[in-house]
Amino acid sequence: MISKKVMFKKMLVLLLALTFVVSTFGCGSTTQNGEVSASSTADAAAANSEGTASTAVSDAAKPVTLDLFYDFSWVPMDNFTGIIPEEITKKTGVTLNITKAVDSKQLGLMIASNDLPELIFTPYERNRLANPDLCYAWNELIDQYAPDFKPREVSINIAKSYSTDDNYYTILNLTTTNKEWAEAAIGAPGQSALYFRQDIYEALGSPKFETVDDYLNILAMVKEKYPDMIPLGMDAPFWFFQPFATWLGYQVNDFIKNDDGSVVFRTNHEKYPEYLKFVNNLYRKGYITVENYAIQNEADSLSQIAYSGKAFSYVWYTGDKPVVMTNATKENVPAAEWRPAGALNTEYKSVRTPTGWGGVYITKSCKNPEKAIKFMQFMLSDEGRALAIWGREGIDYTLDDKGVPVFSEEWLESRQDQVAHTKKFNPWFYFAKTEIDDVYANYSGMPDYVLKAADELKKQTVNMPELGLAVPNTESDEGIILTKLQELLKTEEAKIFFSKNDDEFLKNYNALMDATKKIGVDKLDSYMTNKVKEISAKYTFD
Amino acid sequence: MTTDFLFADNKKEIRLLHPVIQHRVTDGSEKIVLIKTLAKQKYLQAFVLAGMAYLFVFSYLPLIGITMAFKDYKISMGIQGIFSSDWVGFKYFLEFFNEYGFWKLVRNTVAISLLKLIFSFPIPILFAIMLNEISFMPVKKLVQTCSYLPHFISWVIISGMAFAFFSSSGVINSIALKFHFINEAIPFLTDANRFWSLAVVSDIWKDMGWWAIIFLAAIAGISQEMYEAAEIDGISRLKKIWYITLPSIKGTIIVILILALGKLFGGGLSGSNFEQSYLLGNSMTSEKSDIIQTYVFNVGLAQGRYAYATAVGLIQSVISLILTFGSNFFAKKISGEGLF
């Protein structure tokens, strides 16, 4: 006779066992494309780490394998194979066992469960990883194992700003100083730029085109002579109007530093109403369309406005865009030629707030921190940085007299197909590339008109990393205020841009300003002013 | 047993369908009988267990997460943070009530949902009745197939189709401009005042045919003898619908209505509010398209404020629960029929 209690227990055990099986199969599988989920990552990392340590001890000639969590889920790469990785292994004696992130939240959960592989390459969680309980401080490893390793000061300062103990736990890539930009042979810092159809401009009689007012006059002529065209088309929304903002003395960054050192959220800047009126004027005169701004289809269909020949001018990213746009538009309009507009007002600077991007962290799980820091020493060297993204010198590229890479035919041909390029070269281990390394690769071989416009843009650009570094953590009270303001602007600013008359404009503007006050913009301004002063006093970024 | 009333007048059916109940009624040693019965049905019970495990894992376990709505939880705390974080009471609920745009969110959620209930709910019933009146089978089948196919198109595709049809350079505006019906393109997709109509019409187009299937099935179950008797009495077609068809499918209508009310704030039958607001809405229509669900999505997933998003989502869930129980109560009071 089985008691009711025992029966109940058995049923419960059966139910729990079934639940466990379902959970296990549901949460720990390897996906078809080789990505491994969080739970299995830990086991694989542990197993490999142990194997690595014993292998390293038993056979010093064999490359040491380090486990690396690669936190860029969108990168079409999931292993350390190909010409560049093989070359890196030859130079460093290190090979990497890659686990690619499934999504941007995975690392946060791994940290929360203290389940970290030996190395982490990530753009996220900078504050949490700058923690002596989780990661080795780079400066301590350098002192102990690589005293001749001297990372760039700006990178050290940026990294230190995320830690609380004056150590630095990574060196972020894509950190470039104003001085380095000034000395760059070609290219411009990445931002939005204005392009226009040269063929139509010439058909209009090549009117004067040196200032913003000249540009507006040309738009009026386009509107009159080509009524079916969109005088100004745009791509992704967050930098739609950046070039115009700069020429008006305003910035579309979240925060703007005033001359007196105070920092304000951009709605509190004195030029904000002027900027809004400028954009509203573009709309009311029929130069921009609501749909182009408001309806965000995939980028391909947006750029169709330019490619189809419907737009006279277009705001897009710097780089090879005029060449890309010309080639694509020529398929529909054979005479089409896109050109960059250059600087229409040099009185003001365009401010960027770069704080670097991804960095490698050496965690306390690392069995061979000496090898890890020496590996990073190579990757941060000029040779390592170039190898990681340009390939082998003398084979895949040669440097011209300005120090700019000129790529081989094989490289250029392979680069047309990202998947094939990745399979063959695998240029995704850019642990330490600078913005200039990137820009050299992108601008190499560009026509003179692109290089000239980039040079003008570069002179008009200034970097203020302190503004980016001071941005509050999203989980803090100020961070919550900031995200609320950002969300508010997404919708309320559009209403102001596309107000049909002055009354509507004023009403929408006042509503926006009231809402920002209610959300707490003044508290945020006060926080940012103090934080930027604190960071500026502590570190230099030039 | 709660199921007794279903078979109150038929003990034979109880024996056939509910051996456990039957044994309990007739035999005192119910434990042994229970085990024997379960052993006999072990394969069938395995299916039940799988279903229960599914419900437990995906419907009941996540309920623990509701505690987040009352705690100072941050995603960086990991899963265990749900239990270890500090209690904050109704802080997030109060924050939502004082939020900029709170009334806009509530107004849009309620308005879109009610409009859908008023227009999207009765139309499948009328459509089913109309289909039933078609006697030429090929046409009936063609109409029915064409009308329910849109149900299988995802809202992502529909948003793309909406752009192709309703944008200023889309099919509708192009034709209207070409034939001079209008002087300038109608901003169907960027005019906030048109969003509610767009949401309701597209919802009806997508799911009218699908839900009509259920009502058609109910109509098919009506005894033909009643119609024949009515015809002998010389009753008109409309009166047959009014006096025979509609009363006969009343039960089905009530059950579907209660389900629709339970999902009212999700968009009623089709539950399409989120998809429509997220995919058809844009910065120009936000005044009329932002709803509680998209707000929860934004603050939860996009901004990472899980605790706050849970609190906001909980408010909507509680209202939906009240609506379900309330509508069921009133349905039973008024018509004597209910879902439970």
Side-chain angles (χ1 to χ4, degrees):
Chain A
M1 188 89 175
I2 303 170
S3 73
K4 203 173 185 177
K5 202 174 170 183
V6 173
M7 189 64 209
F8 175 73
K9 271 187 183 174
K10 285 190 173 178
M11 291 289 286
L12 192 65
V13 167
L14 188 64
L15 189 64
L16 286 173
L18 203 63
T19 308
F20 175 74
V21 170
V22 170
S23 312
T24 308
F25 282 105
C27 306
S29 62
T30 303
T31 57
Q32 280 184 338
N33 61 2
E35 292 168 356
V36 183
S37 68
S39 57
S40 57
T41 304
D43 301 339
N48 275 313
S49 303
E50 284 157 18
T52 302
S54 59
T55 310
V57 171
S58 64
D59 187 356
K62 277 191 178 176
V64 171
T65 302
L66 298 173
D67 297 311
L68 179 128
F69 180 71
Y70 193 95
D71 202 5
F72 299 83
S73 56
W74 48 269
V75 167
M77 173 285 297
D78 53 18
N79 58 53
F80 195 67
T81 58
I83 289 173
I84 292 174
E86 281 165 17
E87 203 66 22
I88 291 173
T89 301
K90 271 190 219 165
K91 300 272 182 188
T92 60
V94 170
T95 183
L96 298 174
N97 177 36
I98 304 292
T99 299
K100 201 171 81 175
V102 175
D103 58 45
S104 60
K105 298 271 186 278
Q106 189 177 343
L107 178 61
L109 295 175
M110 286 164 72
I111 296 171
S113 54
N114 200 10
D115 179 16
L116 300 173
E118 291 178 286
L119 304 177
I120 297 166
F121 179 40
T122 181
Y124 311 114
E125 305 288 359
R126 295 178 185 179
N127 293 96
R128 293 174 75 195
L129 287 170
N131 177 348
D133 295 333
L134 297 178
C135 297
Y136 286 106
W138 273 41
N139 46 308
E140 289 174 3
L141 291 178
I142 288 170
D143 288 347
Q144 196 174 347
Y145 301 117
D148 56 333
F149 179 17
K150 304 251 183 288
R152 294 153 68 246
E153 195 188 341
V154 64
S155 307
I156 293 175
N157 286 341
I158 287 176
K160 274 187 175 178
S161 72
Y162 291 101
S163 73
T164 51
D165 57 5
D166 208 39
N167 289 324
Y168 55 98
Y169 292 83
T170 188
I171 289 293
L172 298 166
N173 65 10
L174 293 183
T175 52
T176 306
T177 64
N178 289 319
K179 188 164 169 277
E180 286 166 334
W181 270 118
E183 290 167 357
I186 57 168
Q191 59 198 294
S192 57
L194 177 66
Y195 301 102
F196 69 100
R197 282 275 298 278
Q198 174 80 11
D199 51 315
I200 291 177
Y201 171 70
E202 284 171 4
L204 292 170
S206 302
K208 188 164 161 269
F209 190 6
E210 291 165 7
T211 65
V212 175
D213 285 340
D214 293 341
Y215 172 67
L216 293 176
N217 289 337
I218 294 169
L219 292 191
M221 292 165 80
V222 170
K223 181 88 185 153
E224 191 186 338
K225 202 165 176 189
Y226 303 94
D228 291 337
M229 280 194 112
I230 298 172
L232 171 60
M234 296 162 287
D235 208 86
F238 60 96
W239 31 278
F240 267 168
F241 303 115
Q242 189 190 309
F244 305 106
T246 301
W247 296 327
L248 291 168
Y250 179 70
Q251 304 294 330
V252 290
N253 304 324
D254 282 339
F255 297 103
I256 302 171
K257 194 175 180 181
N258 290 319
D259 293 338
D260 64 0
S262 63
V263 177
V264 291
F265 186 68
R266 67 188 183 86
T267 54
N268 274 358
H269 190 262
E270 59 176 8
K271 293 249 180 171
Y272 186 55
E274 193 182 332
Y275 162 72
L276 293 173
K277 273 182 190 160
F278 177 85
V279 178
N280 182 236
N281 187 44
L282 289 176
Y283 166 66
R284 277 155 76 172
K285 290 199 167 160
Y287 301 156
I288 55 174
T289 70
V290 184
E291 275 180 9
N292 187 194
Y293 180 89
I295 299 174
Q296 300 302 315
N297 282 339
E298 55 191 272
D300 281 351
S301 59
L302 276 170
S303 49
Q304 286 306 318
I305 293 170
Y307 296 166
S308 62
K310 281 184 191 165
F312 164 70
S313 55
Y314 201 78
V315 176
W316 210 356
Y317 213 59
T318 46
D320 60 354
K321 290 292 177 287
V323 177
V324 171
M325 288 160 81
T326 298
N327 291 340
T329 312
K330 271 184 185 298
E331 288 179 14
N332 301 308
V333 186
E337 289 287 344
W338 285 95
R339 290 289 181 273
L344 299 184
N345 183 359
T346 52
E347 190 184 341
Y348 302 104
K349 296 266 187 191
S350 167
V351 177
R352 294 167 75 242
T353 61
T355 59
W357 189 35
V360 172
Y361 297 82
I362 303 167
T363 73
K364 285 288 167 80
S365 312
C366 185
K367 301 286 189 299
N368 197 338
E370 179 183 356
K371 202 71 183 170
I373 197 69
K374 285 185 173 166
F375 173 70
M376 290 315 301
Q377 182 178 11
F378 173 78
M379 295 308 292
L380 263 76
S381 68
D382 290 347
E383 186 188 359
R385 282 177 13 234
L387 173 60
I389 62 168
W390 298 344
R392 299 158 296 179
E393 187 173 5
I395 302 172
D396 303 317
Y397 74 94
T398 51
L399 292 177
D400 68 8
D401 53 356
K402 289 179 185 168
V404 177
V406 179
F407 292 102
S408 69
E409 285 298 321
E410 186 190 8
W411 176 279
L412 291 173
E413 197 178 316
S414 160
R415 200 164 67 172
Q416 304 295 321
D417 181 344
Q418 197 183 50
V419 175
H421 192 59
T422 297
K423 200 171 176 189
K424 187 169 186 179
F425 291 101
N426 207 350
W428 297 102
F429 298 96
Y430 39 54
F431 301 134
K433 70 175 177 181
T434 66
E435 283 186 293
I436 291 174
D437 295 335
D438 244 1
V439 158
Y440 278 8
N442 293 337
Y443 281 82
S444 170
M446 283 288 120
D448 282 346
Y449 66 84
V450 173
L451 297 178
K452 187 170 167 281
D455 199 46
E456 274 184 35
L457 197 62
K458 186 179 81 178
K459 286 175 187 156
Q460 215 193 343
T461 308
V462 64
N463 291 315
M464 291 189 183
E466 63 271 28
L467 285 178
L469 293 172
V471 170
N473 186 316
T474 50
E475 292 182 345
S476 66
D477 288 348
E478 289 82 8
I480 290 168
I481 292 174
L482 175 60
T483 46
K484 282 185 180 179
L485 289 171
Q486 288 166 333
E487 285 300 313
L488 179 79
L489 285 188
K490 274 184 197 167
T491 54
E492 302 306 303
E493 202 171 48
K495 284 185 203 161
I496 305 172
F497 287 162
F498 298 101
S499 296
K500 289 188 173 61
N501 50 53
D502 288 345
D503 289 342
E504 197 179 319
F505 179 93
L506 202 62
K507 186 183 139 215
N508 290 333
Y509 173 74
N510 288 334
L512 172 71
M513 297 310 282
D514 287 347
T516 60
K517 298 279 179 218
K518 192 178 171 193
I519 289 171
V521 70
D522 294 333
K523 185 182 172 189
L524 184 62
D525 284 355
S526 163
Y527 168 86
M528 281 297 291
T529 300
N530 291 332
K531 192 74 183 171
V532 167
K533 278 182 186 162
E534 187 188 309
I535 290 172
S536 302
K538 210 168 172 185
Y539 308 113
T540 56
F541 302 103
D542 290 330
Chain B
M1 289 296 291
T2 51
T3 49
D4 279 356
F5 72 95
L6 289 173
F7 310 104
D9 59 350
N10 195 335
K11 290 292 177 192
K12 195 179 172 189
E13 277 194 47
I14 293 177
R15 201 156 34 246
L16 287 172
L17 296 171
H18 295 273
V20 178
I21 301 168
Q22 191 266 336
H23 282 297
R24 276 185 179 173
V25 173
T26 55
D27 194 336
S29 55
E30 56 187 52
K31 288 168 207 163
I32 297 172
V33 173
L34 179 70
I35 292 161
K36 278 185 180 170
T37 314
L38 282 174
K40 250 190 225 169
Q41 301 173 337
K42 59 189 171 207
Y43 297 114
L44 294 174
Q45 293 294 343
F47 283 105
V48 175
L49 278 178
M52 283 169 68
Y54 173 85
L55 273 179
F56 180 69
V57 172
F58 294 107
S59 298
Y60 285 88
L61 271 185
L63 287 177
I64 298 167
I66 287 176
T67 53
M68 269 196 282
F70 307 95
K71 301 193 95 177
D72 187 21
Y73 173 73
K74 295 177 171 70
I75 186 65
S76 55
M77 295 171 174
I79 305 271
Q80 63 267 45
I82 297 173
F83 308 102
S84 58
S85 51
D86 297 331
W87 293 96
V88 292
F90 289 93
K91 179 186 164 189
Y92 298 123
F93 295 88
L94 294 173
E95 184 183 338
F96 179 57
F97 295 141
N98 291 309
E99 186 66 52
Y100 167 81
F102 166 75
W103 286 112
K104 175 185 80 176
L105 292 171
V106 172
R107 180 200 65 198
N108 292 346
T109 309
V110 172
I112 294 173
S113 306
L114 285 179
L115 282 171
K116 279 189 185 169
L117 189 71
I118 293 165
F119 292 102
S120 305
F121 180 73
I123 284 180
I125 302 169
L126 295 176
F127 185 63
I129 291 169
M130 283 161 69
L131 271 179
N132 189 52
E133 294 298 315
I134 298 175
S135 49
F136 187 52
M137 282 310 280
V139 173
K140 184 178 176 178
K141 283 191 173 175
L142 180 74
V143 173
Q144 198 178 343
T145 308
C146 291
S147 64
Y148 81 69
L149 277 181
H151 172 79
F152 298 100
I153 304 173
S154 98
W155 278 105
V156 178
I157 307 290
I158 291 175
S159 70
M161 289 167 66
F163 188 75
F165 277 89
F166 297 115
S167 68
S168 58
S169 57
V171 176
I172 308 282
N173 271 317
S174 297
I175 292 173
L177 282 168
K178 185 118 184 156
F179 291 101
H180 302 288
F181 296 136
I182 51 175
N183 293 322
E184 58 180 37
I186 300 168
F188 290 111
L189 302 177
T190 53
D191 181 356
N193 292 326
R194 294 176 202 274
F195 184 81
W196 291 357
S197 326
L198 184 72
V200 174
V201 171
S202 58
D203 187 62
I204 291 172
W205 171 76
K206 189 172 184 293
D207 277 322
M208 172 183 75
W210 177 257
W211 284 101
I213 294 173
I214 288 186
F215 296 112
L216 269 175
I219 292 169
I222 302 171
S223 166
Q224 288 302 309
E225 287 166 4
M226 283 202 283
Y227 290 111
E228 284 160 13
E231 273 168 27
I232 291 165
D233 288 343
I235 202 164
S236 72
R237 223 172 183 186
L238 278 176
K239 283 190 174 170
K240 269 196 283 184
I241 292 169
W242 188 252
Y243 289 111
I244 301 173
T245 312
L246 278 173
S248 302
I249 62 169
K250 189 178 73 177
T252 309
I253 293 173
I254 286 170
V255 168
I256 302 290
L257 180 64
I258 292 168
L259 290 175
L261 281 169
K263 294 202 297 179
L264 182 68
F265 291 153
L269 290 179
S270 60
S272 58
N273 275 4
F274 175 79
E275 288 90 340
Q276 285 186 322
S277 178
Y278 191 70
L279 295 165
L280 295 176
N282 55 59
S283 52
M284 292 305 295
T285 59
S286 64
E287 187 60 32
K288 293 290 176 71
S289 64
D290 281 354
I291 56 172
I292 293 175
Q293 282 182 314
T294 47
Y295 181 73
V296 168
F297 175 80
N298 272 330
V299 293
L301 287 180
Q303 297 173 28
R305 298 189 64 200
Y306 288 78
Y308 178 61
T310 305
V312 179
L314 185 60
I315 294 170
Q316 185 170 313
S317 299
V318 169
I319 296 171
S320 294
L321 195 70
I322 293 168
L323 277 173
T324 307
F325 279 96
S327 54
N328 191 59
F329 174 79
F330 284 112
K332 275 206 282 199
K333 274 250 173 200
I334 295 165
S335 68
E337 293 183 59
L339 195 59
F340 44 84

